[in-house]
Structure formats: C-alpha cells, structure tokens
C-alpha cells in the first residue's frame, strides 16, 4: 500500500489517526425522531457530507471515521482495493438503510492537483463519517462509526443527546447577495474555443466535445451552503443534492439532474441526459422549445452519441442491457432529452468499476473520449477539479450511487466558483452555446443573490 497518498486512516473524535492495521470498523445505530439535516451538517471546521436523491433518501455525515485517497491513472483500482480492506470485517447492528457508507468523489482529470479553489480535494477521496443521519420514506436513523464497539456506543449516546437539543426545523434564510462576478473565459475566447473544437470535428478527430466555463462570484457575506441547497431542493425537487466539505478547504456542492449510476446487487441503473433548451414563459412557449429539441437533428444526434456510448461502456460488464424510450426531463429553468438505461451485471462488481467504465460520459466529456479530453485540456482556461466528475457513495457490499457533479460550485470564504458547460457538435453555434452555459449558471447564482 502507498501510505504517502492513500493509506487508510481512522479518526477518533479528536481526529487522531490510527494505523492501517487498526481494528475493523464498528457501527451502532438508533432510530430517531425527525431532525434538521441542515443543523447537523452546519459546520465548516471538519469534514461534512450531504447526499439527497430525487426519490427521497437523505443522508448527512460529520467527522472522519475512515478515509480513502488515491491519485493518478490507477486511482480507481487503488480505491477499490483499499475500500475492500477498510470494510473487511465491518460490524453493523442497524437496518440496511442506516449502514456505514463511504462518501466522496473523484476529479474530472486523473492528473488533478489540489490547488485553489480545490485545496483539500484529491483526485480521488472518500470518507466514512463518524456520524451519519439517514432519512428514508419510513424512518430516520442515527449511526455512529468507530474502530471499536465502546467508542461507537459512546459516540452514539453523545450525538443522540446533541440531536435532541437541535430544532427539528432550521430557520429559512436568504442568499448572501452577489457583489461581483468574474469569468475565466471571455466571450471572444469562448468563440475561439468552440471554433477550435469545430475544426477538429470537421477534420474527423472529434464527434463531440463538452467545453465548460467557470464563474467566480464574490459575495456580500459568507454563504450558508446547507441553506442554499435547501432552497435548491424546493426549486428543483427532482434533482440530486450533494455537499462535500473538507477540513481546511472549500465546500463542493450542487444540485445535478443527472445520475451516473445506481447499483444494488447485480442491477445497475443509469441514463443518458443530453440536449438542452430553456423553459418557456408560457405553456405554449414551453412546448415550442420541447418540439424544437425533439425535431432538431443536432439535438437528436448529440443525445444519441451519449446514449450509444453509455451502452458501449456497459456492455463488457453486463449480461443483459435494456434501453427505455427517450423522454423529456423538465427542470425549473431548462429541459433535456433523457434515455433511461438498465443492466444486469455479469459477475461480482464494485460500483467503482461501473463508475470507472462510465466516466466521463459524452454528456460531460465527448466522443471519442481521448480526443475530447485532449481538446478540453488544450482549450479550457481553468481547473475542472471535481466538476462534471463522479460524486456519491459506496458501501461494504460494493453497492452505491453516483451523480455527475454538474450544476455545481465550490465555496471558499466569501467566494463561490460556479461551473457549467455545453456540448459542441458539428453544427454548433458559439453564440447559442454561450447562452446555454449562462442558463446553466442560473440555478445556483439565483439562490446566492436571492435576498
């Protein structure tokens, strides 16, 4: 094991680190009355996570019971191997929904270096929180994780008492207000980048590439990220929500519409989500936009590239693969073409294997992948970090769920850096693609400036 970059680390309440040969993880769980998830995750001085799905599962975590990190081109293999060792011998006394899970993500590029604003975010990093609060449709559970039963039991008691003192509802607030914004990509530079991509497409080097922009937002005060996510939940209830906060670093958060993969046992669910038009101000205008997307050769081709690539990436791992009918996915400010895809896996697989096979999908990278990555590196003027990369969790069985880190930003002090991109194909127009990117900035930008 490479202890310099990815050794297993177990933390006590004081975050002292134990060796990789420490006792296997132990967890203790208890059913709770309802609790304010925002209040639980409201801390910026330690590791914290939040994960919420469109179907109602919500999880928050605090502290670090175990940590996995890995860098470089073999990061997926290293993470899987270390995850197996970390969860080997895990003892859990609660229901399945309350089981310990490792939360985190990976960078878009495997050569990522954690420079500002991505300080503290490795190319691959997952933590098992010391404390998890899990809310499903049926119940709410508290789970404490430690390296021995006594510590887990004591932690469970302390947090039970602590949660009793928290309000069940957290007061709703407003955004901090936007003081100014700065673009990493000017409109002139954007046009040049799109034209470079179009030239490569014309030469046959590319079929599609997704180019992105970053927008640095200076705020009038500190941002309350959990509260921002709560307001996003009310406006975009059918999206994922996530928060990953690092000790001494920033907080990466977002409300992505796109699921990368969900795995339970040998069943896998994923989707192609590509092709975007605005929502209309009237029902008639809304239908007109949707009809335009359905009838557009450009949109249909762009979506087809994504769906075909996902099927090709899954086929070597699957014994059965099915594609559902192409539909329309409507969000508050935008609508997409969507194709659900399901598979039955052949053999025992870890969800990270599926993530590795799918990342990056053509919805965030391009076709062919190697040429798209090269174009992104050559043209983009900022570090994507964890933007457009896999964000999610896995458990001891290798099951898990990941979203694509879109509609996202990273908060540091009184600045939030937002990210958004657009798919470039043969007949893309730089001005139209520019407007699409600005539209994708709006969900979080509007909440930051909502006073």
């Amino acid at each position: 094991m490479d202890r310099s970059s990815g050794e297993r680390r177990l933390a006590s309440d004081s975050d002292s680190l134990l060796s990789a040969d420490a006792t296997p993880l132990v967890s203790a769980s208890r059913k709770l009355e309802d609790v304010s998830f925002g209040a639980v995750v409201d801390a910026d001085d330690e590791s914290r996570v939040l994960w919420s799905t469109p179907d109602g599962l919500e999880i928050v975590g605090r502290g670090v019971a175990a940590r996995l990190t890995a860098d470089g081109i073999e990061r997926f293999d290293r993470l899987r191997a270390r995850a197996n060792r970390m969860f080997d011998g895990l003892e859990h006394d609660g229901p399945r929904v309350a089981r310990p899970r490792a939360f985190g993500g990976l960078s878009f590029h495997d050569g990522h270096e954690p420079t500002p604003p991505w300080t503290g975010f490795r190319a691959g990093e997952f933590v098992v929180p010391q404390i998890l609060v899990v809310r499903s449709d049926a119940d709410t559970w508290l789970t404490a994780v430690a390296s021995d039963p006594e510590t887990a039991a004591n932690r469970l008691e302390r947090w039970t008492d602590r949660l009793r003192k928290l309000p069940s509802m957290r007061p709703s607030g407003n955004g901090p207000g936007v003081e100014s914004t700065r673009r990493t990509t000017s409109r002139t530079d954007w046009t040049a980048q799109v034209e470079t991509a179009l030239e490569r497409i014309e030469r046959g080097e590319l079929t599609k590439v997704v180019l992105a922009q970053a927008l640095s937002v200076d705020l009038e005060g500190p941002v309350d990220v959990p509260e921002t996510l709560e307001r996003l939940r009310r406006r975009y209830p059918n999206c994922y929500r996530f928060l990953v906060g690092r000790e001494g670093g920033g907080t990466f958060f977002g409300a992505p519409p796109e699921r990368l993969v969900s795995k339970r046992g040998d069943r896998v669910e994923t989707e192609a989500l590509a092709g975007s038009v605005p929502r209309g101000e009237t029902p008639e205008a809304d239908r007109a936009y949707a009809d335009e997307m359905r009838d557009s050769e450009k949109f249909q081709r762009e979506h087809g590239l994504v769906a075909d690539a996902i099927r090709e990436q899954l086929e070597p791992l699957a014994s059965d693969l099915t594609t559902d009918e192409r539909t329309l996915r409507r969000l508050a400010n935008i609508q997409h073409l969507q194709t659900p895809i399901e598979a039955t896996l052949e053999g025992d697989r870890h969800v990270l294997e599926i993530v590795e096979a799918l990342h990056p999908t053509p919805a965030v990278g391009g076709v062919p992948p190697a040429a798209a990555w090269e174009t992104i590196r050559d043209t983009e003027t900022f570090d994507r970090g964890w933007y457009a990369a896999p964000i999610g969790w896995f458990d001891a069985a290798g099951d898990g769920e990941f979203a694509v880190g879109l509609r996202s930003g990273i908060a540091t002090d009184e600045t939030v850096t937002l990210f958004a991109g657009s798919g470039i194909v043969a007949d893309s127009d730089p001005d139209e693609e520019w407007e699409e990117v600005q539209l994708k900035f709006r969900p979080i930008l509007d909440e930051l400036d909502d006073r």
Side-chain angles (χ1 to χ4, degrees), residues 32 38 261:
L32 292 176
V261 61

mmCIF file with all atom_site columns, all heavy atoms in Angstrom, residues 32 38 261:
data_model
loop_
_atom_site.group_PDB
_atom_site.id
_atom_site.type_symbol
_atom_site.label_atom_id
_atom_site.label_alt_id
_atom_site.label_comp_id
_atom_site.label_asym_id
_atom_site.label_entity_id
_atom_site.label_seq_id
_atom_site.pdbx_PDB_ins_code
_atom_site.Cartn_x
_atom_site.Cartn_y
_atom_site.Cartn_z
_atom_site.occupancy
_atom_site.B_iso_or_equiv
_atom_site.pdbx_formal_charge
_atom_site.auth_seq_id
_atom_site.auth_comp_id
_atom_site.auth_asym_id
_atom_site.auth_atom_id
_atom_site.pdbx_PDB_model_num
ATOM 1  N N   . LEU A 1 32  ? -34.456 7.628  15.250  1.00 0.00 ? 32  LEU A N   1
ATOM 2  C CA  . LEU A 1 32  ? -34.618 8.985  15.740  1.00 0.00 ? 32  LEU A CA  1
ATOM 3  C C   . LEU A 1 32  ? -36.007 9.526  15.428  1.00 0.00 ? 32  LEU A C   1
ATOM 4  O O   . LEU A 1 32  ? -36.669 9.069  14.496  1.00 0.00 ? 32  LEU A O   1
ATOM 5  C CB  . LEU A 1 32  ? -33.612 9.928  15.076  1.00 0.00 ? 32  LEU A CB  1
ATOM 6  C CG  . LEU A 1 32  ? -32.125 9.791  15.382  1.00 0.00 ? 32  LEU A CG  1
ATOM 7  C CD1 . LEU A 1 32  ? -31.355 10.774 14.518  1.00 0.00 ? 32  LEU A CD1 1
ATOM 8  C CD2 . LEU A 1 32  ? -31.855 10.048 16.858  1.00 0.00 ? 32  LEU A CD2 1
ATOM 9  N N   . GLY A 1 38  ? -30.063 20.293 8.015   1.00 0.00 ? 38  GLY A N   1
ATOM 10 C CA  . GLY A 1 38  ? -29.211 21.459 7.852   1.00 0.00 ? 38  GLY A CA  1
ATOM 11 C C   . GLY A 1 38  ? -28.433 21.770 9.111   1.00 0.00 ? 38  GLY A C   1
ATOM 12 O O   . GLY A 1 38  ? -27.258 22.145 9.067   1.00 0.00 ? 38  GLY A O   1
ATOM 13 N N   . VAL A 1 261 ? -24.747 6.505  -12.020 1.00 0.00 ? 261 VAL A N   1
ATOM 14 C CA  . VAL A 1 261 ? -25.043 5.086  -11.864 1.00 0.00 ? 261 VAL A CA  1
ATOM 15 C C   . VAL A 1 261 ? -25.618 4.828  -10.480 1.00 0.00 ? 261 VAL A C   1
ATOM 16 O O   . VAL A 1 261 ? -25.271 5.497  -9.501  1.00 0.00 ? 261 VAL A O   1
ATOM 17 C CB  . VAL A 1 261 ? -23.770 4.227  -12.065 1.00 0.00 ? 261 VAL A CB  1
ATOM 18 C CG1 . VAL A 1 261 ? -22.713 4.573  -11.024 1.00 0.00 ? 261 VAL A CG1 1
ATOM 19 C CG2 . VAL A 1 261 ? -24.082 2.741  -12.009 1.00 0.00 ? 261 VAL A CG2 1
#
